[in-house]
Each structure stands twice: as C-alpha cells, then as structure tokens.
Amino acid sequence: MIVMAAQLLRTVKFHLYLKELRQRRFKDTKKMCMMLGVSKDMWRKLERGINPPPRRSLLRKFCILVNALSYEENQLYTLARRWEPHEDTNTANHILMDSRSKPEWKEALMDQNRPDYAHKYWKPLD
C-alpha cells in the first residue's frame, strides 16, 4: 500500500494536484485569490506549472481554505519538493500559435509563460 502511494506521488505533478484540490471548493479562482492575498495571474501560472511552488505558509492557508485533509497537505508539500518546470516555461509555445501569428502575440505568450519568481522556497528531496 505504501509502495503504491509512493509510486502515485511520482506520477502526479504539483500543479495538477493543486488544481484538483482547488476545484473541490472553488470553481473560480478570483474569490480564493482574494482570500489568500495573491494575484489571479500568479495563481493561474501556479496551476499551469509555470510558477514554482510558493512559500509553505501560503500553501498552508490554501489547504485551510479548501479543507484539505492532513495527508493531502503532506502530499502537496512532498510534490512541491519534487516540482519541475512545465515544458512551456520561458517559451512562446501555445496551441493557438502558428507561423501566421503576429509577433506581438508571441511576446504576450512569453510573458504568460515566464515565472513570476524563482524557485526559492522548497529544497528538493534527496
């Protein structure tokens, strides 16, 4: 049982787990972001895997808001330590972009795929 849980944690990504926990309680992020004191854009990048995990105190507040169980909170912290940037980070990749797209669109997408802060709050697991 413990081995299965460990294998499952290796396949789950931090940003997807965060989004799943959020969707149980909040369909839209606007109200939740106001309660947490963060911008909606920053949270959107978190759920897309562009931004690295935020500080532990913010994740703790988030867990309280979504009524996460203690094991779910611990899993979230473990996944935060295993976080890796999404493949679209620092690129202009987007499903709607093609060779005919305007150059200013590419720059706008670069901004959306650029992290807001460095990965400084979590040390990776050994």
Side-chain angles (χ1 to χ4, degrees), residues 29-92:
T29 58
K30 184 178 179 181
K31 183 177 180 181
M32 184 197 69
C33 288
M34 289 174 52
M35 295 169 91
L36 288 174
V38 298
S39 73
K40 190 174 177 179
D41 288 336
M42 182 276 245
W43 195 265
R44 199 173 117 253
K45 286 182 182 182
L46 257 176
E47 288 188 357
R48 289 179 51 228
I50 302 297
N51 276 344
R55 62 192 179 279
R56 189 181 203 96
S57 61
L58 182 64
L59 287 181
R60 176 74 182 125
K61 279 196 237 180
F62 168 75
C63 288
I64 291 169
L65 282 178
V66 299
N67 294 330
L69 300 173
S70 61
Y71 81 90
E72 293 171 324
E73 185 176 346
N74 289 332
Q75 286 178 343
L76 191 64
Y77 296 153
T78 301
L79 291 171
R81 287 185 202 96
R82 291 191 176 137
W83 179 84
E84 292 179 7
H86 190 273
E87 62 189 27
D88 290 342
T89 302
N90 292 321
T91 69

